[in-house]
Amino acid sequence: MKETRILLTGANGQIGTALTKALRNIHGKENVIATDITEPKQENYPFDFIDILNKTRLREYVGDYKVTQIYHLAAILSANGEVNPRKTWEVNLNGLLSILDCAKDFELDKIFFPSTIAVYGRSTPRQFTPQHTSLEPETVYGMSKLSGELWCNYYYKRYGIDVRSLRYPGIIGYDSIPSGGTTDYAVEMFHAAIADQPYECFLKEDTFLPMMYMPDAIEATIKMMESPKEKIKIRSSYNLSAMSFSPAQLKNQILNYYPNLKVSYKPDFRQDIASSWSESIDDTRAQQDWGWKSKFDIHKMTIDMIENLKSEK
Ligand code: NAD
Ligand code: AKB
């Protein structure tokens, strides 16, 4: 039997940092290779530089290290994506196509592709958004991820590639500070509270968005990736849900522990992005097909975030 050897792209990012740790706990440190275009902020061995746009290096690496699975996290997120739309399309879509070609040519076992709530648009039902629905994203990030979902489904059907995908909500975690996204305000508000600083939120106080605590996101990813192949019936991307809240509701939760927290609201271009996304998600198919169930609501997440951020201080 082939030994499992996993390669992560974009491994220094918010999710990559936590997912690399979790996969190393399961498969052993040496069998999980972290790659990115930036220096890791903390010890991350084995690590190497791979720019997802360098197809030749990617293919050499996958061949040389006998990689069997790729978790393809490298991407440019929603807010940063609007700064350079063509580059975002190139990184997010061409990067994925290179990964899918590797999977085909090197006969890899499995691929993970993270999609996002950014695939929804203003014509999508905003409450309890169904799995199959109108998808007319307005950001280049959402467009690239939606096209990516369709390519994943195509490679599954045409070439039998075992590619699996989740539409992550906004992810909240304590391991690293997110940047370049529209849901980043939530993590930023926690850091401001712990540092005893006022926080200026770039979204309006009543903007509801689907959110998820990092441990739930990691558990969903690993649970789906370890499920038997026949249980994965959706090969574009699964809706995934945990909680939905507004900046004002998050502030009220944090005030229970940091009563001096001051939050002001100064919406910028990210408000328009947030307003085009869904407020809550129906993830019944993920529950039915491979047994997904989230553990953290806003209350449990707030307690755990604060405990972890305080212990790191
Ligand atoms: P992030 O921005 O924190 O990390 C992305 C990483 O990709 C960065 O470390 C960056 O250096 C790397 N990268 C960018 N361009 C690259 C290139 N050309 N080659 C190689 N690496 C490159 O993002 P994240 O929050 O960790 O997200 C990981 C994945 O999950 C992304 O695909 C994102 O679209 C998806 N996702 C994230 C969230 C969230 O809330 N964090 C929600 C939905 C989907
Ligand atoms: C972003 O805000 O761009 C990401 C996402 C929801 O995909 N956090």
Side-chain angles (χ1 to χ4, degrees):
M1 223 174 83
K2 272 194 292 184
E3 196 177 4
T4 298
R5 185 150 302 154
I6 296 174
L7 183 136
L8 289 100
T9 68
N12 291 343
Q14 192 202 7
I15 296 176
T17 306
L19 190 56
T20 304
K21 271 190 213 158
L23 289 170
R24 283 184 178 155
N25 284 339
I26 298 170
H27 299 281
K29 216 170 176 221
E30 301 294 326
N31 292 322
V32 179
I33 307 161
T35 72
D36 206 305
I37 47 171
T38 57
E39 281 286 352
K41 290 188 192 77
Q42 40 195 274
E43 206 276 318
N44 198 14
Y45 178 80
F47 174 85
D48 229 319
F49 290 94
I50 294 187
D51 183 334
I52 196 61
L53 297 178
N54 188 341
K55 199 169 175 171
T56 310
R57 173 154 166 78
L58 174 72
R59 293 175 72 85
E60 275 170 11
Y61 208 91
V62 168
D64 289 350
Y65 287 88
K66 302 199 171 18
V67 168
T68 60
Q69 300 182 17
I70 300 179
Y71 285 65
H72 175 48
L73 307 179
I76 298 175
L77 273 64
S78 58
N80 276 355
E82 295 308 293
V83 177
N84 192 341
R86 293 300 287 256
K87 171 90 187 207
T88 302
W89 181 261
E90 213 183 316
V91 170
N92 293 4
L93 194 72
N94 295 353
L96 171 67
L97 291 177
S98 299
I99 296 287
L100 291 172
D101 280 341
C102 271
K104 173 162 73 70
D105 299 341
F106 292 91
E107 299 181 356
L108 302 190
D109 293 341
K110 281 181 221 172
I111 301 293
F112 175 68
F113 170 65
S115 189
T116 162
I117 52 168
V119 298
Y120 310 124
R122 278 175 229 269
S123 60
T124 307
R126 296 199 75 203
Q127 311 291 342
F128 212 51
T129 299
Q131 175 70 46
H132 299 291
T133 185
S134 168
L135 297 171
E136 295 183 308
E138 293 179 5
T139 59
V140 69
Y141 172 63
M143 287 154 52
S144 64
K145 288 288 183 174
L146 177 57
S147 307
E149 290 185 7
L150 298 174
W151 276 106
C152 288
N153 191 47
Y154 182 84
Y155 268 66
Y156 169 71
K157 291 216 145 130
R158 172 100 197 248
Y159 305 114
I161 304 302
D162 188 359
V163 51
R164 307 176 182 198
S165 174
L166 296 171
R167 289 175 182 154
Y168 287 135
I171 305 297
I172 300 163
Y174 51 82
D175 271 333
S176 59
I177 301 181
S179 72
T182 302
T183 56
D184 299 355
Y185 85 83
V187 178
E188 291 171 3
M189 199 186 286
F190 277 105
H191 281 271
I194 305 266
D196 203 15
Q197 298 284 325
Y199 180 62
E200 187 178 271
C201 182
F202 55 77
L203 297 183
K204 287 196 268 184
E205 62 187 319
D206 58 352
T207 309
F208 280 80
L209 285 171
M211 296 283 192
M212 178 174 275
Y213 194 36
M214 186 69 84
D216 266 346
I218 300 302
E219 193 182 323
T221 308
I222 290 173
K223 193 169 176 53
M224 180 186 67
M225 289 303 282
E226 289 189 344
S227 293
K229 199 172 173 181
E230 62 280 4
K231 293 212 169 204
I232 308 302
K233 303 208 173 81
I234 293 173
R235 293 294 180 159
S236 51
S237 191
Y238 276 97
N239 272 11
L240 192 69
S241 170
M243 58 184 119
S244 170
F245 58 76
S246 65
Q249 286 181 332
L250 181 62
K251 175 186 145 193
N252 286 337
Q253 285 290 326
I254 300 176
L255 279 177
N256 291 325
Y257 309 93
Y258 289 90
N260 295 331
L261 173 68
K262 298 268 175 298
V263 178
S264 56
Y265 299 93
K266 195 174 173 200
D268 64 16
F269 73 102
R270 289 169 281 191
Q271 179 62 49
D272 196 43
I273 297 178
S275 302
S276 74
W277 292 352
S278 294
E279 293 188 347
S280 62
I281 310 294
D282 173 6
D283 65 359
T284 307
R285 286 300 305 271
Q287 295 176 36
Q288 286 171 348
D289 289 1
W290 44 274
W292 165 241
K293 193 165 176 14
S294 70
K295 292 200 176 82
F296 287 87
D297 58 15
I298 185 171
H299 180 64
K300 280 193 191 157
M301 177 272 292
T302 302
I303 294 173
D304 203 67
M305 267 298 272
I306 290 175
E307 266 175 21
N308 279 287
L309 287 176
K310 268 190 348 203
S311 71
E312 278 170 11
K313 232 175 124 185

